[in-house]
Amino acid sequence: MLKTQTSLSTWSQERNMKWLVLLGLVTFSECIVKIPLRRVKTMRKTLSGKNILNNFLKEHAYRLSQISSCGSNLTFHPLRNIKDRLYVGNITIGTPPQEFQVIFDTGSSDLWVTSVFCTSPTCSTHVMFRHFDSSTFRPTKKTFSINYGSGRMKGVVVHDTVRIGDLVSTDQPFGLSVVELGFDGIPFDGVMGLNYPKLSFSGAIPIFDNLRNQGAISEPVFAFYLSKDEQEGSVVMFGGVDHRYYKGELNWIPLIQAGDWSVHMDSISMKRKVIACSGGCKAVVDTGTSLIEGPRRLVNNIQKLIRAMPRGSEYYVSCSAVNTLPPIIFTIKGINYPVPAQAYILKDSRGHCYPTFKENTVSTSTETWILGDVFLRLYFSVFDRGNDRIGLAQAV
């Protein structure tokens, strides 16, 4: 959902001055830190979603509870399914701490949350950072913007203390949004980018790098377990890997180049026939994208192969056909990663079944696929910054 495009835009000087004037007025651990994530579904159709969403959020306000020990630092969240699946977890910012629900996104590098100065209609549904309540807040004069696959934001860079469980990043640069567009019906307060520094649109050092530099993380590694079970939380873990979350061995895949969570994929096949990525291609492992995305022509071909029929701007399949459709196999470094139809076909709130393949709106010079949550629910993923590689194994 939140893959970033590679274009950076700037504001006019007048807008810069407006928000800058407003802003002017106003542990070291050797343990693995595990942050359970909450699985949510975003609205595919607007309909009366705004009122439904607002009432749902009021009735199901979450509470943060923590259990800390040397072996683990756990923050538990209740699961909330609203529609298409995405994963969010809680962080706090400021002194005293203010709590936010953010998407932990390997497809981007910037941390940002909604500010009290944001006047976009979407912002009224988000928790807003109250900078005037934080004694450790520090403003800057830098502005930035980010275009995501599902929306865009504009913001200003500031500094404050950020906490992920017991991990503390002091004087962490992050963004405060003043404009948010395209995020209607998505229950989140911001994004925590976990990609490499070179992909930061704000120019700020990402929080993972800051934690690493400050000695808060013993190993430069984090990992995701995205649960298929709506009754149990998903987990992102920092500083190591909990082997209970996967079966067998981790398969390590070197990055195409250090600086982006992208690997070389051998092929995509079905019934032993290559249907995409025939000469090898690029695969982006992205926890911030809910679906599997690729070039339009190849995605359309897959829709035909699984007998998906267009209905408006969406594709649907017969729910009775799900158990007869074959798995689609993604081959990476000689290892097959099958995705069965029960995983790549989902059911919406009206009981209609739809495939999770989508056209990638970002044009690239080479064939590129984005392996989002549909793929990552099946495969435990490890992001190893120290060795510039990704590990995959069958999730439990």
Side-chain angles (χ1 to χ4, degrees):
M1 183 203 69
L2 285 169
K3 64 186 185 307
T4 52
Q5 298 176 339
T6 56
S7 61
L8 176 63
S9 59
T10 58
W11 290 350
S12 67
Q13 190 65 26
E14 179 180 351
R15 180 155 318 245
N16 284 347
M17 292 305 298
K18 176 181 177 181
W19 293 112
L20 290 173
V21 168
L22 284 171
L23 285 171
L25 293 175
V26 292
T27 316
F28 182 79
S29 172
E30 290 291 338
C31 306
I32 296 174
V33 177
K34 294 182 283 186
I35 310 294
L37 302 178
R38 305 195 298 167
R39 183 182 176 192
V40 198
K41 299 180 183 180
T42 61
M43 296 291 184
R44 283 182 75 83
K45 305 291 183 183
T46 307
L47 300 177
S48 58
K50 286 187 177 180
N51 291 333
I52 294 173
L53 177 62
N54 290 337
N55 292 336
F56 186 92
L57 294 179
K58 288 178 182 177
E59 294 172 7
H60 297 80
Y62 61 84
R63 290 181 174 85
L64 178 69
S65 60
Q66 293 186 339
I67 299 176
S68 300
S69 67
C70 186
S72 64
N73 183 331
L74 302 177
T75 302
F76 295 97
H77 307 277
L79 292 171
R80 296 192 297 176
N81 286 336
I82 301 177
K83 243 179 171 182
D84 290 342
R85 295 160 177 81
L86 68 117
Y87 294 84
V88 294
N90 290 355
I91 65 171
T92 67
I93 303 175
T95 308
Q98 300 175 40
E99 189 173 290
F100 300 90
Q101 181 172 266
V102 299
I103 297 170
F104 286 71
D105 179 26
T106 60
S108 64
S109 300
D110 291 287
L111 167 63
W112 64 268
V113 295
T114 305
S115 80
V116 293
F117 298 126
C118 185
T119 57
S120 301
T122 300
C123 297
S124 63
T125 65
H126 299 167
V127 176
M128 300 179 182
F129 181 66
R130 304 178 307 278
H131 61 278
F132 41 78
D133 287 342
S134 176
S135 62
T136 45
F137 173 80
R138 183 168 66 87
T140 75
K141 296 181 179 181
K142 185 170 186 179
T143 59
F144 71 104
S145 63
I146 306 176
N147 292 328
Y148 293 101
S150 58
R152 56 193 176 96
M153 62 80 65
K154 295 179 180 180
V156 60
V157 177
V158 298
H159 293 247
D160 212 326
T161 299
V162 179
R163 295 174 177 85
I164 311 172
D166 279 352
L167 291 175
V168 181
S169 178
T170 58
D171 199 38
Q172 171 66 43
F174 66 100
L176 285 180
S177 72
V178 295
V179 176
E180 296 179 21
L181 300 173
F183 299 130
D184 294 338
I186 304 176
F188 77 120
D189 306 318
V191 176
M192 175 174 287
L194 292 171
N195 214 320
Y196 282 72
K198 78 172 189 177
L199 296 184
S200 171
F201 286 88
S202 69
I205 182 171
I207 188 168
F208 184 80
D209 292 80
N210 227 14
L211 290 169
R212 180 181 179 184
N213 295 342
Q214 293 176 10
I217 297 175
S218 56
E219 297 291 336
V221 172
F222 59 90
F224 279 87
Y225 172 76
L226 301 184
S227 174
K228 298 182 289 291
D229 188 342
E230 297 180 4
Q231 300 304 315
E232 296 184 10
S234 302
V235 177
V236 54
M237 56 193 74
F238 294 90
V241 176
D242 190 329
H243 305 285
R244 294 173 296 178
Y245 284 93
Y246 65 89
K247 302 175 184 178
E249 297 295 323
L250 279 168
N251 300 314
W252 291 106
I253 309 155
L255 301 182
I256 293 176
Q257 60 181 7
D260 184 14
W261 294 120
S262 301
V263 298
H264 177 81
M265 183 159 61
D266 303 334
S267 64
I268 301 174
S269 59
M270 187 173 73
K271 293 182 176 180
R272 299 184 180 181
K273 180 181 179 181
V274 174
I275 59 174
C277 189
S278 58
C281 61
K282 177 180 179 180
V284 180
V285 184
D286 187 356
T287 61
T289 296
S290 57
L291 309 178
I292 296 174
E293 302 187 8
R296 175 190 293 181
R297 177 180 61 83
L298 298 172
V299 167
N300 287 343
N301 183 51
I302 291 176
Q303 306 285 31
K304 292 178 182 177
L305 291 171
I306 62 177
R307 301 187 296 278
M309 299 298 293
R311 190 180 304 165
S313 60
E314 307 292 341
Y315 278 83
Y316 292 91
V317 299
S318 169
C319 292
S320 61
V322 172
N323 291 330
T324 64
L325 289 171
I328 294 178
I329 298 171
F330 298 79
T331 303
I332 305 173
K333 202 185 175 186
I335 304 293
N336 290 336
Y337 297 91
V339 177
Q342 292 81 358
Y344 67 74
I345 302 293
L346 298 180
K347 185 178 290 187
D348 65 20
S349 60
R350 297 171 296 172
H352 299 155
C353 291
Y354 64 94
T356 56
F357 295 95
K358 180 183 176 183
E359 174 192 351
N360 183 4
T361 57
V362 180
S363 60
T364 58
S365 58
T366 59
E367 182 182 343
T368 300
W369 289 82
I370 299 176
L371 305 182
D373 298 340
V374 169
F375 181 87
L376 295 173
R377 275 192 288 276
L378 299 171
Y379 300 103
F380 179 82
S381 54
V382 183
F383 298 81
D384 185 351
R385 281 286 302 275
N387 295 290
D388 299 314
R389 61 182 182 172
I390 293 174
L392 295 174
Q394 184 180 349
V396 295

